[in-house]
Amino acid sequence: MTTRTDSSTDFTPVDQDLYAAAFQLLDPDPTPEPAAPALPAAPAQVPLPVAVPVRLTGPVEKTLTDALTFLDIHGWARGTLIHPEGARCSIGALRAAAGARNSAYCDAGNLLLDEAQRQHGTKWQSIPSWNDSHSGAQVRSVWEAAIRRAHHLNI
């Protein structure tokens, strides 16, 4: 089969500008084809802030902590409520921290004496007698244990 390719054919090439103008007349405001629906984006994995539980210090824990701080600042004494230079025994530090003989003062004293009896025996019936019969390190150990118990009991 033979194909004729000479220029004597009746074939006229398409004018592209004319072609575009014809389509413009047919559809003056073409609407673009809708895009494929976008897939929803995966939610960002933003870590939520962790709320730290709020724990208020109970009045007994505060009284014990303040009293031990008082002893650390002013010194610890034996045989006297208040030493002339400002040091205090355990009961004197409790009174200074509590400010009054209120329920926190009474409960802190009871907890301190209970801890002293746990560590040093039940023969101690008062804070002053226990305080005067032990070393500073032994007294401090009881204070710290009493503060931990008050914290644990949330009192």
Side-chain angles (χ1 to χ4, degrees):
M1 180 165 144
T2 309
T3 306
R4 222 170 107 183
T5 58
D6 63 5
S7 60
S8 63
T9 62
D10 296 307
F11 182 153
T12 308
V14 175
D15 180 356
Q16 292 298 325
D17 292 332
L18 181 63
Y19 188 77
F23 275 99
Q24 182 66 30
L25 290 173
L26 292 173
D27 190 5
D29 189 20
T31 305
E33 288 287 323
L39 296 175
Q45 297 296 325
V46 177
L48 297 174
V50 177
V52 177
V54 175
R55 185 194 164 284
L56 301 176
T57 302
V60 173
E61 181 185 357
K62 180 173 180 357
T63 300
L64 289 167
T65 303
D66 290 350
L68 184 57
T69 301
F70 186 92
L71 291 174
D72 288 342
I73 294 169
H74 300 285
W76 169 73
R78 273 190 200 165
T80 184
L81 185 64
I82 303 172
H83 189 273
E85 294 177 9
R88 295 195 181 205
C89 71
S90 292
I91 202 75
L94 271 176
R95 288 181 185 169
R101 292 184 184 181
N102 55 27
S103 62
Y105 166 80
C106 293
D107 292 343
N110 288 333
L111 187 62
L112 186 65
L113 182 58
D114 184 61
E115 190 57 41
Q117 290 173 343
R118 279 182 170 197
Q119 289 188 29
H120 302 287
T122 57
K123 70 178 184 176
W124 306 108
Q125 297 302 308
S126 70
I127 292 173
S129 64
W130 159 77
N131 180 84
D132 295 347
S133 300
H134 293 85
S135 70
Q138 291 170 319
V139 170
R140 181 172 192 81
S141 172
V142 169
W143 276 97
E144 290 171 347
I147 291 168
R148 283 191 302 272
R149 281 180 59 196
H151 179 82
H152 178 72
L153 295 170
N154 199 27
I155 56 173

